């Protein structure tokens, strides 16, 4: 089994620079989000090579159409000169299996900010973009997102060592049974969904409170940014396509001119090319929009860590409160004074006090209960302290990754916009040359 060394140095995922002057082909979008630096990625190459539409019957025996994704892994050792690379091991996975894997990771590693999956259905769409989850363009972008998810996990110094993750990559049959056999579903704390521990925590950790607030604000900002981008894409698409009218008019005009005809015809051709270029431009823009969406979804993963900490803090406070109550009971029993009204105290006054033997028996039981309470508080304290230590280490890793990723994505997006404007200037410069030659 190929596993990462547990002592491997932590690698931060970064977005690589891409050639913004060339348009990526539909089935050849290069994933640049993750640096292949961890020991697992040094030993094996991981990719989601293609997507395929299939038709079958679901659990209620109804016909359905769904998409499966081909995962390829191969040894990453260098090939000797004149040799051929090893054939990749391949298997097919549905999106729901990626969801199951991520849920398992969320439950098993609650202190880690688990990488998000790409959207299941398109969000923040503009009118020309299909919201159909079986649309070829959307499926292709989701293929890239799923590959990015696997590389994110494989580049993490803890997650890359997980046995279930390795089985996900290597065992097509039996993997689902293996992950369910771990019993992770039994570990899902329903209170995380039904109870807001934050409302009851008396002394919340200010760092996690601030982190949760930051996550909420980041979610709002990125959502607004994506909405603005969708509106701009809508308008830009219209502006570019309207330029096609120049081409039509110049072409019609050239038909009635002799000396000016060739120049007008050439200018019209440049305008047609300009109008048609917007399709490729906005398709490339979706690649950068998907990078922003990843961090929109990352905010949920950050909040999940914060909620888990709140619950642990709440349980610690409840254990401490229970211990204090038991100590108070012991004090009342020893001194014979009742500081708080209780049914037992009232009964004792009405029907007489208990015997010495009964008092000693009760005292012994309370002392035993106090010992158990002390152990419970110590255990919760240690559990909470260990969680905070591990979680904050991963949070610092995530912050560094986030800053680099978003900075690179925004810079690349700006460069792409500059390139687009330069192409527009070039089109009008060419048209000017055509007019000069008339």
């Amino acid at each position: 089994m190929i596993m990462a060394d547990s002592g491997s140095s932590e690698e931060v995922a970064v977005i690589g620079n891409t050639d913004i002057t060339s348009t990526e082909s539909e089935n050849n979008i290069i994933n640049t989000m993750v640096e292949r630096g961890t020991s697992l990625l040094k030993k094996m190459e991981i990719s989601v090579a293609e997507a395929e539409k299939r038709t079958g019957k679901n659990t209620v025996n109804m016909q359905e159409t769904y998409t499966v994704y081909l995962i390829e892994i191969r040894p990453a050792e260098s090939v000797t000169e004149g040799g051929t690379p090893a054939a990749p091991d391949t298997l097919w996975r549905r999106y729901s299996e990626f969801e199951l894997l991520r849920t398992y990771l969320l439950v098993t590693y609650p202190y880690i900010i688990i990488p998000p999956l790409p959207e299941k259905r398109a969000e923040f769409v503009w009118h020309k973009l299909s919201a159909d989850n079986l649309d070829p363009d959307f499926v292709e972008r989701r293929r890239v997102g799923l590959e990015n998810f696997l590389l994110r996990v494989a580049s993490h110094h803890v997650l890359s060592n997980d046995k279930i993750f390795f089985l996900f990559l290597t065992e097509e049959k039996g993997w689902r049974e293996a992950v369910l056999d771990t019993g992770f579903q039994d570990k899902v704390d329903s209170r995380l969904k039904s109870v807001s521990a934050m409302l009851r925590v008396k002394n919340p950790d200010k760092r996690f409170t601030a982190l949760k607030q930051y996550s909420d604000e980041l979610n709002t900002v990125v959502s607004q940014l994506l909405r603005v981008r969708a509106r701009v894409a809508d308008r830009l698409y219209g502006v570019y396509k309207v330029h096609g009218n120049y081409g039509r008019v110049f072409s019609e005009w050239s038909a009635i001119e002799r000396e000016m005809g060739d120049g007008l015809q050439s200018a019209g051709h440049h305008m047609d090319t300009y109008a048609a270029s917007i399709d490729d431009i906005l398709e490339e823009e979706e690649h950068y929009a998907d990078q922003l969406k990843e961090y929109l979804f990352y905010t949920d993963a950050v909040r999940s860590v914060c909620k888990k900490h709140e619950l642990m803090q709440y349980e610690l406070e409840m254990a401490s409160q229970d211990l204090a109550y038991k100590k108070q009971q012991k004090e009342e029993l020893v001194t014979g004074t009742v500081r708080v009204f209780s049914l037992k105290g009232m009964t004792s006054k009405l029907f007489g006090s208990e015997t010495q033997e009964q008092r000693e028996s009760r005292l012994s039981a309370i002392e035993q209960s106090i010992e158990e309470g002390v152990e419970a508080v110590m255990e919760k304290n240690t559990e909470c302290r260990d969680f905070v230590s591990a979680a904050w280490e991963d949070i610092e890793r995530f912050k560094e990754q986030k800053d680099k990723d978003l900075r690179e994505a925004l810079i690349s997006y700006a460069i792409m916009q500059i390139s687009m404007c330069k192409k527009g200037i070039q089109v009008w410069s060419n048209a000017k040359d055509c007019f000069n030659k008339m």
Side-chain angles (χ1 to χ4, degrees), residues 260-273:
M260 292 171 42
D262 291 342
L264 290 170
Q265 185 71 36
S266 297
H269 172 72
H270 288 303
M271 290 300 159
D272 289 338
T273 302

Side-chain angles (χ1 to χ4, degrees), residues 8 24 26 69 124 252 254 279 282 315-316 338 427 431:
S8 61
E24 295 167 327
E26 181 180 281
Y69 300 87
F124 305 102
E252 292 175 356
S254 69
D279 296 297
L282 292 182
E315 291 176 341
L316 172 60
V338 179
V427 165

Side-chain angles (χ1 to χ4, degrees), residues 114-365:
I114 305 298
L117 291 170
E119 56 193 347
K120 192 167 187 177
R121 289 176 178 79
E123 299 180 26
F124 305 102
V125 297
W126 48 284
H127 84 278
K128 191 72 172 57
L129 195 67
S130 174
D132 181 7
N133 63 343
L134 295 176
D135 176 74
D137 290 336
F138 174 73
V139 169
E140 171 58 17
R141 293 201 315 277
R142 190 163 67 178
R143 178 197 67 78
V144 174
L146 292 174
E147 178 178 294
N148 180 66
F149 166 75
L150 294 180
L151 294 177
R152 289 281 197 202
V153 175
S155 66
H156 194 283
H157 69 293
V158 174
L159 302 179
S160 59
N161 285 288
D162 187 85
K163 180 180 178 181
I164 293 298
F165 173 59
F166 186 80
L167 291 177
F168 179 86
L169 299 173
T170 57
E171 300 291 336
E172 184 164 8
K173 295 182 179 179
W175 173 81
R176 183 179 289 273
E177 290 73 17
V179 68
L180 295 178
D181 286 345
T182 62
F184 82 93
Q185 290 175 310
D186 298 332
K187 299 176 185 177
V188 178
D189 200 324
S190 59
R191 284 172 295 179
L192 285 175
K193 298 179 180 179
S194 60
V195 176
S196 178
M198 187 61 185
L199 297 177
R200 303 189 181 188
V201 173
K202 295 179 180 178
N203 299 301
D205 190 314
K206 292 182 179 179
R207 293 177 300 172
F208 283 91
T209 302
L211 180 65
K212 187 177 180 182
Q213 182 178 353
Y214 168 77
S215 178
D216 292 340
E217 292 172 350
L218 180 62
N219 182 285
T220 300
V221 169
V222 176
S223 296
Q224 291 174 345
L225 188 61
L226 287 166
R227 289 191 187 96
V228 169
R229 185 261 158 186
R231 291 199 298 270
V232 170
D234 250 335
R235 295 180 184 180
L236 195 62
Y237 182 84
V239 168
Y240 266 70
K241 289 303 183 183
V242 167
H243 275 69
N245 292 335
Y246 282 124
R248 177 179 57 79
V249 172
F250 286 152
S251 180
E252 292 175 356
W253 189 2
S254 69
I256 63 173
E257 299 287 353
R258 291 185 179 180
E259 295 182 1
M260 292 171 42
D262 291 342
L264 290 170
Q265 185 71 36
S266 297
H269 172 72
H270 288 303
M271 290 300 159
D272 289 338
T273 302
Y274 180 72
S277 67
I278 190 61
D279 296 297
D280 290 337
I281 289 171
L282 292 182
E283 183 180 335
E284 186 179 352
E285 266 199 18
E286 286 303 319
H287 176 60
Y288 297 108
D290 287 341
Q291 293 178 7
L292 291 176
K293 286 179 183 178
E294 182 187 23
Y295 276 92
L296 178 67
F297 305 145
Y298 252 127
T299 58
D300 287 334
V302 173
R303 282 195 291 261
S304 177
V305 173
C306 293
K307 287 179 181 178
K308 180 62 179 177
H309 174 261
E310 288 167 8
L311 180 61
M312 295 179 71
Q313 182 70 24
Y314 170 73
E315 291 176 341
L316 172 60
E317 291 181 0
M318 290 299 100
S320 299
Q321 183 177 318
D322 184 56
L323 177 60
Y325 175 70
K326 290 173 181 177
K327 288 181 177 179
Q328 179 185 320
Q329 283 185 310
K330 178 182 176 181
E331 181 185 348
E332 292 174 353
L333 187 61
V334 171
T335 60
T337 59
V338 179
R339 289 160 52 186
V340 180
F341 171 81
S342 69
L343 184 60
K344 282 188 176 181
M346 181 60 68
T347 303
S348 177
K349 286 186 177 182
L350 290 174
F351 299 103
S353 8
E354 57 191 351
T355 65
Q356 182 66 24
E357 191 174 307
Q358 289 174 323
R359 285 169 58 85
E360 289 177 355
S361 176
R362 279 185 59 200
L363 184 61
S364 176

